[in-house]
Amino acid sequence: MGWYTSFIAALAFLAVGVIFSPETFGSLSNGENSEKLSIFLKLAHLLSFATAWGAALWATFIGGIIMFKNLPRHQFGNLQSKMFPAYFTLVGSCCAISLSAFGYLHPWKSSSTVDKYQLGFLLSAFAFNLTNLFVFTPMTINMMKQRHKVERENNIGDEVGWSKNREKAKTIPKLAAMNKKFGMIHGLSSLANILSFGSLAMHSWYLAGKLNL
């Protein structure tokens, strides 16, 4: 996975440390943080959350669908294989920063039940993105490359959409088996992504309740 593996792992340990041992990082359970530090952390939390939310919204419901409907399938798959690691790294990093900042401002021991739920939602979003980055995405990319090889041997993959793949799969058991396995892995990846998005959505509801417009 390269350098970002170590980076994400470091963020994970930082986030967990801030939540459960905030005094180690200078956070006082009685809320006596300096005003400037508090504003900085709130800004870091808000910008990171907004970036994660926007990226997830675009990638899940807009960008991916547009590309699938307009790009040749192999080209689309190869592009997604480059974009997904970057996407999950970005969203995972933003979730970790939001989680750390929120945990620093709302230490677990002194937090209300509502705040603890929000820590849980942010932690869930972070965990789902890590699962996608380190587990499902590598499996999906590997399966995709194997299937592309079989499809090229049968002169398909340059079309837009699934039509030729489904037709060939009816007469090629190997391709049908690959489609089934790919669908299962991709389905789990999509589920983790949706659960992450849902967790962020719950936190957005919490933040909306804090606004005075």
Side-chain angles (χ1 to χ4, degrees):
M1 282 294 175
W3 64 268
Y4 53 83
T5 301
S6 300
F7 178 68
I8 291 290
L11 285 178
F13 282 111
L14 174 64
V16 173
V18 169
I19 292 173
F20 295 106
S21 184
E23 60 276 0
T24 303
F25 300 88
S27 177
L28 302 177
S29 59
N30 60 6
E32 295 178 2
N33 297 302
S34 69
E35 184 177 352
K36 288 184 178 180
L37 178 59
S38 178
I39 292 174
F40 172 78
L41 290 173
K42 289 178 180 178
L43 179 63
H45 169 68
L46 183 61
L47 292 179
S48 297
F49 169 78
T51 300
W53 170 264
L57 178 66
W58 175 264
T60 304
F61 299 107
I62 303 173
I65 295 174
I66 292 174
M67 287 188 289
F68 179 75
K69 289 184 176 181
N70 291 277
L71 291 177
R73 194 157 47 77
H74 282 187
Q75 185 177 338
F76 166 75
N78 290 329
L79 178 60
Q80 291 290 74
S81 72
K82 302 299 182 183
M83 290 185 63
F84 275 165
Y87 163 63
F88 291 125
T89 298
L90 172 65
V91 177
S93 299
C94 288
C95 287
I97 294 171
S98 289
L99 177 61
S100 299
F102 192 85
Y104 191 97
L105 292 167
H106 302 84
W108 183 264
K109 294 179 181 179
S110 59
S111 290
S112 66
T113 301
V114 173
D115 290 338
K116 287 180 179 178
Y117 273 119
Q118 296 309 311
L119 283 167
F121 286 131
L122 290 172
L123 183 60
S124 295
F126 179 54
F128 286 129
N129 276 280
L130 253 62
T131 301
N132 254 326
L133 179 62
F134 295 125
V135 180
F136 294 135
T137 294
M139 292 173 65
T140 302
I141 293 174
N142 182 57
M143 193 68 239
M144 180 201 73
K145 290 180 178 179
Q146 293 181 37
R147 190 171 65 168
H148 280 189
K149 182 179 179 181
V150 173
E151 289 178 334
R152 282 194 296 270
E153 291 172 353
N154 290 275
N155 299 315
I156 59 174
D158 292 328
E159 73 284 355
V160 176
W162 290 102
S163 57
K164 289 186 178 181
N165 172 282
R166 290 172 176 169
E167 290 176 8
K168 287 286 186 178
K170 294 177 182 179
T171 57
I172 305 175
K174 183 178 181 180
L175 182 58
M178 285 184 166
N179 285 346
K180 184 176 180 180
K181 186 175 181 179
F182 179 85
M184 181 184 68
I185 298 171
H186 188 266
L188 291 172
S189 177
S190 297
L191 177 61
N193 186 53
I194 289 295
L195 290 174
S196 171
F197 184 81
S199 297
L200 293 174
M202 294 301 295
H203 191 60
S204 71
W205 185 267
Y206 167 86
L207 292 179
K210 296 293 183 180
L211 292 176
N212 291 316
L213 298 177

